[in-house]
Amino acid sequence: LLDLLYQRPLVNATVVQKSLPVSKATAGSLIRQFEQLGIIEEITGARRRRRFRYSTYLALFEEQPPGTGDAGSLSPTQSAP
């Protein structure tokens, strides 16, 4: 499932079931385990047709305002001590 999440960071049980391929019960179990571990989070707030997001991975591609993040306080011409 982790390999699939790198390719498709937004998934649902049907995508997991067809991509791995596993049974619907196994897909649901994998999703629950990954959710309990904090790897993915449910984003729909619904009981059915739930979608899950691999937020940590997607955050790597989001723009951060200048001055935030690990190296955000350094300008492009500065180097770390």
Side-chain angles (χ1 to χ4, degrees):
L1 178 54
L2 186 58
D3 288 338
L4 174 62
L5 289 170
Y6 284 114
Q7 296 170 19
R8 294 190 64 167
L10 298 171
V11 296
N12 61 25
T14 302
V15 168
V16 172
Q17 177 187 3
K18 290 180 179 180
S19 298
L20 290 185
V22 295
S23 69
K24 189 169 189 153
T26 299
S29 178
L30 284 168
I31 288 171
R32 278 190 301 280
Q33 289 175 24
F34 273 56
E35 188 177 20
Q36 289 171 350
L37 292 169
I39 297 170
I40 59 174
E41 63 181 330
E42 197 273 330
I43 58 172
T44 58
R47 293 187 64 124
R48 303 180 114 203
R49 299 183 184 183
R50 299 183 311 153
R51 295 192 61 164
F52 298 85
R53 172 183 164 109
Y54 185 17
S55 297
T56 306
Y57 181 63
L58 288 172
L60 296 173
F61 303 99
E62 295 174 358
E63 283 192 41
Q64 295 183 1
T68 62
D70 293 336
S73 61
L74 299 176
S75 74
T77 58
Q78 291 176 315
S79 62

